[in-house]
């Protein structure tokens, strides 16, 4: 338990999402086995990749984002802010990392509070003042406290897992039926089932992702008591990202679901497929929290 405000809505959504994804992948593996794939092979691949992602998610994310852990001597101000927020939230201090990127952003990852890491880009550190930085980091720490980081890590990887299992099954010949002259093409069936699994996983993770961002904004603002600082950071980061070359943003786009603000967003992306709620909705929520805190 931490001092971050609990969110039953987020907890309920995480449980439902993982339950539905679990059912989906049991059905997916069952279809592969029914089509001729060896059960042990399929399970080894599925469990192996999932364990790697779960236990090494923090290292994988840092490597992909060119981030590195920094000591208090290397980044005293950043460590100072995280020290203060961790003490305020009564939670273990996560590892601290910095990614060399002009794209202003931050993310948290790790399977639990004791193995979490919070990473910020050099672009974010250059653009935000201390109060705004506290707002962003309180948002990221709330992801760790609510445990939605671990859930999103597992949920987002399941879609990738479907593709990996499908490719392995097709290219290794494990999906061939005992009689290749009867029935529809096995490869086509596997591709269709895999596509359906990926599509459902995609929608479920997007729905969860949008709600968890609102929950993190709310919890972070209530912890610091400064929703206006978080709103200022949101506005500033969103505006600055719009000025970053699209080619640079595409390099970070794969991590949108974990970022404070998505690298690429806008009206061109349907709301149904967005990883984050609209900026205006986030600002309106923070304005309501600010009004509530002012009335106390």
């Amino acid at each position: 338990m931490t001092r971050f405000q609990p969110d039953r809505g987020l907890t309920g959504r995480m449980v439902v999402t993982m339950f539905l994804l679990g059912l989906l992948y049991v059905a997916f593996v069952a279809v592969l086995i029914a089509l001729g794939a060896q059960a042990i092979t399929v399970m080894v691949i599925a469990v192996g990749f999932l364990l790697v992602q779960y236990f090494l998610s923090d290292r994988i994310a840092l490597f992909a984002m060119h981030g590195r852990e920094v000591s208090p001597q290397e980044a005293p101000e950043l460590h100072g802010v995280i020290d203060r927020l961790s003490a305020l939230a009564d939670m273990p201090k996560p590892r601290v990392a910095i990614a060399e990127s002009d794209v202003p952003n931050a993310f948290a990852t790790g399977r639990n509070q004791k193995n979490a890491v919070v990473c910020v880009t050099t672009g974010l550190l250059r653009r935000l003042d201390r109060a705004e930085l506290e707002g962003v980091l309180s948002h990221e720490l709330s992801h760790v406290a609510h445990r939605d980081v671990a859930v999103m890590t597992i949920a987002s990887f399941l879609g990738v897992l479907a593709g990996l299992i499908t490719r392995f099954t097709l290219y290794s010949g494990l999906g061939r039926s005992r009689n290749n002259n009867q029935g529809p093409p096995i490869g086509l069936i596997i591709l269709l089932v895999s596509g359906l699994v990926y599509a459902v996983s995609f929608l479920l993770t997007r729905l969860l992702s949008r709600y968890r961002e609102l929950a993190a904004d709310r919890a972070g603002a209530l912890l610091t008591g400064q929703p206006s600082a978080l709103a200022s950071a949101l506005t500033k980061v969103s505006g600055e990202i719009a000025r970053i070359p699209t080619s640079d943003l595409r390099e970070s786009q794969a991590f949108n679901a974990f970022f404070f603000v998505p690298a690429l967003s806008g009206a061109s992306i349907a709301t149904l497929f967005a990883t984050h709620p609209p900026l205006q909705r986030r600002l309106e929520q923070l304005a309501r929290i600010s009004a509530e805190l002012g009335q106390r």
Side-chain angles (χ1 to χ4, degrees), residues 219-277:
L222 290 173
L223 180 74
T224 62
Q226 294 184 312
S228 60
L230 179 53
S232 176
L234 272 170
T235 303
K236 186 180 291 186
V237 170
S238 298
E240 290 294 327
I241 283 182
R243 299 185 179 93
I244 301 293
T246 302
S247 58
D248 293 339
L249 295 178
R250 291 193 187 281
E251 294 180 4
S252 306
Q253 191 177 8
F255 289 89
N256 265 359
F258 295 91
F259 278 147
F260 173 63
V261 170
L264 284 175
S265 61
S268 60
I269 300 180
T271 302
L272 183 63
F273 304 122
T275 57
H276 291 60

Side-chain angles (χ1 to χ4, degrees), residues 183-237:
I186 298 301
L188 178 60
I189 296 175
I190 293 177
L191 288 176
L192 290 175
V193 173
S194 178
L196 177 62
V197 168
Y198 178 81
V200 175
S201 300
F202 182 88
L203 292 176
L204 287 174
T205 53
R206 289 302 186 271
L207 288 171
L208 176 59
S209 180
R210 289 195 294 273
Y211 187 89
R212 85 181 191 116
E213 292 302 326
L214 289 173
D217 284 346
R218 181 166 53 249
L222 290 173
L223 180 74
T224 62
Q226 294 184 312
S228 60
L230 179 53
S232 176
L234 272 170
T235 303
K236 186 180 291 186
V237 170

Side-chain angles (χ1 to χ4, degrees), residues 53 56-70 94-101 106-110 115-121 255 258-259:
Q53 177 67 6
L56 300 180
S57 59
D58 51 345
R59 292 178 173 82
I60 293 172
L62 287 181
F63 176 79
M65 283 299 299
H66 309 292
R68 66 181 184 87
E69 291 185 40
V70 292
R95 305 196 312 278
V96 181
I98 294 178
E100 292 290 338
S101 173
F107 67 90
T109 186
N115 295 278
V117 58
V118 173
C119 181
V120 299
T121 65
F255 289 89
F258 295 91
F259 278 147

Side-chain angles (χ1 to χ4, degrees), residues 13-278:
R13 283 169 171 80
M14 289 193 295
V15 171
V16 171
T17 297
M18 293 308 296
F19 176 74
L20 292 177
L21 286 173
L23 286 180
L24 184 66
Y25 278 85
V26 167
F28 179 51
V29 171
V31 169
L32 290 180
I33 294 173
L35 291 174
Q38 296 178 14
I40 295 179
T41 301
V42 173
M43 292 305 298
V44 167
I45 295 172
V47 174
F49 276 112
L50 187 58
L51 289 177
V52 167
Q53 177 67 6
Y54 181 70
F55 287 103
L56 300 180
S57 59
D58 51 345
R59 292 178 173 82
I60 293 172
L62 287 181
F63 176 79
M65 283 299 299
H66 309 292
R68 66 181 184 87
E69 291 185 40
V70 292
S71 66
Q73 291 72 32
E74 293 176 285
E77 182 177 357
L78 178 60
H79 269 273
V81 172
I82 293 182
D83 280 333
R84 176 182 177 277
L85 291 174
S86 298
L88 188 62
D90 192 23
M91 65 183 291
K93 179 185 177 182
R95 305 196 312 278
V96 181
I98 294 178
E100 292 290 338
S101 173
D102 190 47
V103 179
N105 233 316
F107 67 90
T109 186
R111 61 185 184 275
N112 53 42
Q113 292 184 28
K114 293 182 179 179
N115 295 278
V117 58
V118 173
C119 181
V120 299
T121 65
T122 51
L124 186 82
L125 293 174
R126 285 197 300 269
R127 290 173 171 88
L128 300 187
D129 61 30
R130 186 180 179 89
E132 292 167 338
L133 182 60
E134 281 194 356
V136 173
L137 293 176
S138 65
H139 169 104
E140 295 303 330
L141 287 176
S142 75
H143 283 313
V144 177
H146 288 156
R147 298 181 175 84
D148 58 83
V149 170
V151 173
M152 282 297 297
T153 296
I154 296 172
S156 63
F157 188 69
L158 290 177
V160 178
L161 186 61
L164 291 173
I165 291 178
T166 301
R167 289 181 184 179
F168 184 85
T169 303
L170 289 175
Y171 291 127
S172 66
L174 294 174
R176 296 173 187 167
S177 62
R178 293 181 176 83
N179 189 341
N180 293 325
N181 297 322
Q182 296 180 1
I186 298 301
L188 178 60
I189 296 175
I190 293 177
L191 288 176
L192 290 175
V193 173
S194 178
L196 177 62
V197 168
Y198 178 81
V200 175
S201 300
F202 182 88
L203 292 176
L204 287 174
T205 53
R206 289 302 186 271
L207 288 171
L208 176 59
S209 180
R210 289 195 294 273
Y211 187 89
R212 85 181 191 116
E213 292 302 326
L214 289 173
D217 284 346
R218 181 166 53 249
L222 290 173
L223 180 74
T224 62
Q226 294 184 312
S228 60
L230 179 53
S232 176
L234 272 170
T235 303
K236 186 180 291 186
V237 170
S238 298
E240 290 294 327
I241 283 182
R243 299 185 179 93
I244 301 293
T246 302
S247 58
D248 293 339
L249 295 178
R250 291 193 187 281
E251 294 180 4
S252 306
Q253 191 177 8
F255 289 89
N256 265 359
F258 295 91
F259 278 147
F260 173 63
V261 170
L264 284 175
S265 61
S268 60
I269 300 180
T271 302
L272 183 63
F273 304 122
T275 57
H276 291 60

